[in-house]
């Protein structure tokens, strides 16, 4: 909150969402609002990150919107630089900044920033999202035109709301501007729940779910990106099955992935971006995971699928 109140860009509406906190955060929000007249506080029952963001977005009045998670913080010039970048040209739908992972709350937020910028087309954004770069799937390292996201709401998956929202934003975007400077500080604790194995399994489960939902809602205009979705979808399903294999989630993982594969199968096999060997390997690993693992065991692990080495 301190780094937000110290922004060099002053014309802010600061919406604080107290999502049923039990640790005194609600009181901190109220005290902050008493000191900064730009702040508005929402106190609500706990419903999760997605609904909390939606509540803030719903009452926002600005022409732009930006999300900052409660335990993160931003450079003092972040909003001003993003605002200036997005207003260079009317074609930009959002501005994106780099971020820095930190385990400290005292990073220098007033340091001089050396700016380098790049334009990103929708194709660039899709390739970046599915290409493994961690810059494209967070919600919080971007300044969006309110007009772009006015009808877009976070869906309340247990995990992965960020990635789902960011992906749907990309599919609405024609052009974005990227500031290549770490203006957002992503705070992580060493004992965070995100490092727990169960959290990873749930994350993969939700990742598969939102990819499935997005595949089935692709517009005709966005269907040119279907192969990116399918490739990632099969990769995530296989990772979900692998992670859950020795856990209580195993049977649910098998059932869910087989159900997904049955529905998506025809889309995947009609896609000419994938070869026959790859299609066969991925389908077998999702549809018949017990058979594949048994075959590998019989051959003492020597059985391998050539194309799987890419994943």
């Amino acid at each position: 909150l301190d780094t937000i109140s110290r922004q060099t860009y002053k014309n802010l509406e600061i919406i604080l969402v107290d999502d049923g906190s039990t640790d005194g955060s609600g009181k901190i929000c109220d005290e902050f609002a008493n000191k900064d007249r730009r702040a508005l506080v929402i106190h609500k029952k706990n419903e999760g990150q997605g609904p909390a963001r939606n509540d803030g977005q719903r009452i926002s009045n600005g022409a732009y919107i930006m999300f900052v998670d409660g335990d993160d913080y931003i450079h003092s010039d972040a909003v001003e630089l993003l605002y200036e970048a997005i207003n260079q040209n009317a074609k930009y739908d959002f501005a994106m900044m780099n971020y820095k992972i930190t385990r400290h709350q005292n990073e220098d937020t007033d340091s001089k920033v050396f700016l380098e910028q790049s334009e990103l087309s929708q194709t660039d954004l899709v390739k970046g999202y599915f290409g493994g770069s961690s810059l494209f799937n967070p919600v919080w390292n971007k300044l969006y035109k309110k007009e772009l996201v006015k009808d877009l709401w976070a869906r309340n998956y247990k995990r992965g709301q960020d990635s789902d929202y960011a992906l749907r934003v990309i599919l609405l975007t024609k052009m974005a501007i990227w500031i290549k400077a770490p203006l957002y500080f992503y705070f992580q604790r060493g004992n965070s729940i995100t490092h727990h194995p169960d959290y990873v399994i749930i994350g993969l489960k939700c990742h598969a779910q939102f990819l499935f939902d997005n595949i089935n809602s692709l517009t005709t205009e966005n269907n040119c990106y279907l192969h990116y979705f399918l490739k990632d979808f099969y990769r995530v399903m296989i990772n979900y099955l692998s992670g859950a294999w020795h856990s209580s989630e195993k049977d649910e993982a098998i059932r869910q992935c087989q159900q997904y594969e049955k529905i998506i199968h025809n889309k995947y096999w009609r896609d000419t971006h994938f070869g026959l060997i790859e299609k066969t390997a991925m389908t077998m690993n999702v549809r018949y995971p017990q058979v594949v693992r048994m075959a590998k065991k019989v051959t003492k692990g020597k059985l391998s699928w050539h194309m799987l080495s890419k994943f």
Side-chain angles (χ1 to χ4, degrees):
L1 293 180
D2 289 339
T3 64
I4 292 172
S5 65
R6 294 200 306 267
Q7 287 298 297
T8 54
Y9 185 89
K10 301 299 182 184
N11 189 26
L12 299 176
E13 177 185 50
I14 305 171
I15 300 172
L16 312 178
V17 183
D18 169 27
D19 186 35
S21 64
T22 58
D23 61 356
S25 293
K27 182 180 178 181
I28 293 172
C29 290
D30 290 335
E31 290 174 347
F32 179 86
N34 287 332
K35 293 186 295 183
D36 194 324
R37 293 184 179 182
R38 300 172 296 175
L40 174 66
V41 182
I42 300 175
H43 296 287
K44 62 188 295 291
K45 67 177 182 179
N46 179 256
E47 293 180 297
Q49 189 179 71
R53 285 196 178 123
N54 289 341
D55 287 339
Q57 179 176 325
R58 192 171 288 112
I59 68 167
S60 63
N61 295 301
Y64 303 88
I65 189 164
M66 176 179 171
F67 300 102
V68 181
D69 283 357
D71 50 358
D72 299 338
Y73 52 104
I74 55 178
H75 191 281
S76 58
D77 294 329
V79 175
E80 182 174 6
L81 293 173
L82 290 170
Y83 178 78
E84 289 178 349
I86 200 172
N87 278 285
Q88 292 176 98
N89 196 309
K91 65 182 178 180
Y92 298 141
D93 293 309
F94 70 80
M96 181 174 74
M97 57 185 162
N98 286 5
Y99 70 89
K100 177 181 180 180
I101 296 176
T102 181
R103 297 193 178 186
H104 308 285
Q105 294 180 323
N106 58 353
E107 298 281 354
D108 185 0
T109 60
D110 297 309
S111 60
K112 183 175 176 60
V113 176
F114 296 93
L115 289 182
E116 181 183 353
Q117 299 182 4
S118 290
E119 286 187 344
L120 296 168
S121 67
Q122 185 179 73
T123 300
D124 294 331
L125 293 167
V126 170
K127 287 181 177 180
Y129 182 95
F130 288 110
S133 172
S134 61
L135 282 174
F136 296 87
N137 60 2
V139 168
W140 34 252
N141 67 332
K142 302 171 180 72
L143 178 73
Y144 310 98
K145 282 184 177 176
K146 182 71 175 296
E147 184 67 20
L148 179 72
V149 298
K150 66 178 182 179
D151 298 318
L152 190 69
W153 307 102
R155 295 188 282 209
N156 198 25
Y157 302 109
K158 287 185 178 180
R159 304 284 182 268
Q161 302 98 329
D162 274 37
S163 295
D164 173 64
Y165 187 93
L167 179 55
R168 288 185 291 133
V169 166
I170 287 171
L171 295 177
L172 294 173
T173 299
K174 300 303 180 185
M175 188 72 70
I177 185 71
W178 172 23
I179 298 177
K180 300 180 181 181
L183 303 174
Y184 190 100
F185 298 94
Y186 177 34
F187 183 70
Q188 284 195 330
R189 296 176 178 84
N191 60 349
S192 169
I193 190 174
T194 58
H195 300 289
H196 194 280
D198 290 344
Y199 185 97
V200 175
I201 294 173
I202 294 172
L204 289 167
K205 177 181 180 179
C206 293
H207 194 166
Q209 183 180 354
F210 78 69
L211 283 174
F212 176 79
D213 292 341
N214 280 293
I215 287 171
N216 284 299
S217 61
L218 279 177
T219 64
T220 302
E221 184 181 12
N222 293 140
N223 205 54
C224 57
Y225 303 122
L226 177 62
H227 62 287
Y228 290 100
F229 283 81
L230 291 171
K231 191 177 187 73
D232 201 47
F233 185 51
Y234 274 80
R235 177 190 64 81
V236 170
M237 284 196 293
I238 289 173
N239 287 340
Y240 174 35
L241 286 166
S242 178
W245 200 256
H246 297 292
S247 75
S248 59
E249 186 79 12
K250 174 185 173 182
D251 291 342
E252 169 63 17
I254 294 173
R255 183 198 66 79
Q256 189 66 74
C257 289
Q258 287 178 341
Q259 182 178 334
Y260 285 150
E261 203 281 329
K262 183 178 180 180
I263 297 171
I264 297 296
H265 179 83
N266 287 340
K267 289 180 185 289
Y268 184 55
W269 277 80
R270 285 198 300 262
D271 199 304
T272 57
H273 289 87
F274 309 105
L276 178 61
I277 294 176
E278 182 174 3
K279 289 175 180 176
T280 303
M282 303 304 279
T283 300
M284 287 292 293
N285 272 274
V286 174
R287 186 176 289 191
Y288 308 111
Q290 302 99 323
V291 174
V292 172
R293 281 164 175 76
M294 186 179 297
K296 287 183 177 180
K297 186 175 181 180
V298 169
T299 58
K300 296 181 180 179
K302 293 180 181 179
L303 178 69
S304 62
W305 297 105
H306 174 66
M307 295 304 294
L308 271 181
S309 63
K310 293 184 176 181
F311 290 84

